[in-house]
Amino acid sequence: MTMLETGLETGTGVLPSQTLQQMIARGIITATPAVIPEQIQPASLDLRLGTIAYRVRASFLTGAGKTVAERLREFEMHRVDLTRGAVLEKGCVYVVPLMEHLALPAGVQAVANAKSSTGRLDLLTRTITDGGVEFDRIPQGYTGPLYAEICPRSFSVLVRPGMRLNQIRFRAGQAVLDDAELALRHATDTLVNGEAHIDDGLGFSVDLRPAQGDLVGFRAKPHTGVIDLDRIGFYEPGDYWEPIHTTEGRIILDPGAFYILVSREAVHIPPDCAAEMAPYLAMVGEFRVHYAGFFDPGFGHAAAGGTGSRGVLEVRCHEAPFVLEHGQIVGRLVYERMAQIPDQLYGTGIASNYQGQGLKLSKHFKAI
């Protein structure tokens, strides 16, 4: 099936909310039960958990010519009924069929990512498909079901059908802004406050010298209670997180620990662009910034009532203790053009939890 045959009218770039509505109307995106309006974001669609979680022995990619159902027969340990709510245990791997199904035309591909609140709970969530050879990447022309692989890393979580842990973004062609285009956009429409570090994307650095006080982040506690993902603003931060204070402009990351930090830069995403967090360089240190998260058109931008929003950094250290310094670049934002400006921007009239944010835990915790 081609774009012409679907009657889908779009330019090159990330497909906006109004095009997602057309895709639903034309059966390119289907779901049981049907997609609800709350799932449609300015440049992505939230995906919903189904009714069963399969506990598996290990994470896997399906592989060419194979289905997820076939691989589940190899790796399934037991099934968990989610209909009345169930706990996904820390350190275990689960595969959950999603409610949504795709029939992508030629010329339209998709990429999935964890939602911001999912990443801030250290809840590793990736999308897998039939015949898939990469996580979170769905090729043009794919027709079939979608599955979420979920591995709680720091906290056990209580989930129910319909919960939205990850999201999917659709693209027609490639419209990534190269460094020259980024520099020009920054000169004409500020992308970041202060100096822009542009090198294969817009660099993110870590803020370890806050303008006020000495709180620079949080470290997940190792032994905590369950988090019910439906409870918003409910949990006491101190029950789950250890605050990190410093006046030295540096902290030492402990191997295996999970940290919430914040970028030094305040980011602006113009209405005609979208962005995605990506790793910086594999060799800059023995840590990784969890790059779950799409940045929607209007994030931090004046057109959506913003004055710049910091990027929250989800950091995990690996092999050895590592000294992280103020201003060290730890990630990058890759900007893409939108096929059209979306009819709804991030932060204007929709439930956008993180517009204008600074250092902030997920929405499940009480305000600090």
Side-chain angles (χ1 to χ4, degrees), residues 170-189:
F170 299 89
R171 298 185 177 104
Q174 294 293 334
V176 172
L177 273 64
D178 63 24
D179 286 354
E181 291 172 307
L182 274 179
L184 182 60
R185 284 306 297 262
H186 180 61
T188 59
D189 187 357

Side-chain angles (χ1 to χ4, degrees), residues 272-290:
D272 63 341
C273 290
E276 182 179 358
M277 182 79 89
Y280 182 54
L281 290 172
M283 300 305 293
V284 296
E286 294 298 326
F287 67 94
R288 183 183 180 100
V289 173
H290 188 61

Side-chain angles (χ1 to χ4, degrees), residues 282-342:
M283 300 305 293
V284 296
E286 294 298 326
F287 67 94
R288 183 183 180 100
V289 173
H290 188 61
Y291 51 97
F294 293 141
F295 288 67
D296 274 339
F299 179 84
H301 197 271
T307 57
S309 293
R310 306 283 194 94
V312 168
L313 309 174
E314 300 130 11
V315 178
R316 181 178 294 279
C317 185
H318 293 312
E319 303 291 336
F322 184 80
V323 177
L324 192 61
E325 308 272 1
H326 175 72
Q328 183 169 347
I329 294 176
V330 294
R332 59 193 171 96
L333 272 184
V334 177
Y335 280 72
E336 294 183 82
R337 283 181 290 274
M338 295 293 298
Q340 296 173 294
I341 293 177

Side-chain angles (χ1 to χ4, degrees), residues 32 91 96 111 133 146-147 163 166 210 262 280 289 364:
T32 305
V96 181
V111 59
V133 295
L146 300 171
Y147 299 81
M163 283 185 169
N166 57 343
V262 70
Y280 182 54
V289 173
H364 309 93

Side-chain angles (χ1 to χ4, degrees), residues 14-87:
V14 175
L15 305 187
S17 48
Q18 60 267 34
T19 304
L20 299 183
Q21 293 168 341
Q22 294 176 19
M23 293 168 72
I24 294 165
R26 288 165 171 73
I28 297 170
I29 302 169
T30 56
T32 305
V35 173
I36 58 176
E38 291 79 9
Q39 290 177 251
I40 301 174
Q41 304 300 325
S44 62
L45 179 77
D46 291 347
L47 300 173
R48 299 170 297 173
L49 300 182
T51 58
I52 297 174
Y54 296 85
R55 169 78 166 92
V56 293
R57 290 186 284 130
S59 171
F60 63 85
L61 284 167
T62 315
K66 297 184 178 180
T67 67
V68 175
E70 290 170 342
R71 301 312 300 269
L72 283 174
R73 287 195 286 271
E74 295 180 55
F75 299 115
E76 177 188 346
M77 298 173 67
H78 62 86
R79 302 181 186 186
V80 181
D81 183 358
L82 304 183
T83 53
R84 295 186 179 180
V87 174

Side-chain angles (χ1 to χ4, degrees), residues 120 218 237 241 260 354 359-363 365-366 368:
R120 295 182 201 201
F218 298 89
W241 300 95
I260 295 291
Y354 304 117
L359 177 63
K360 188 174 182 180
L361 298 173
S362 76
K363 62 186 179 182
F365 296 96
K366 294 179 181 178
I368 302 165

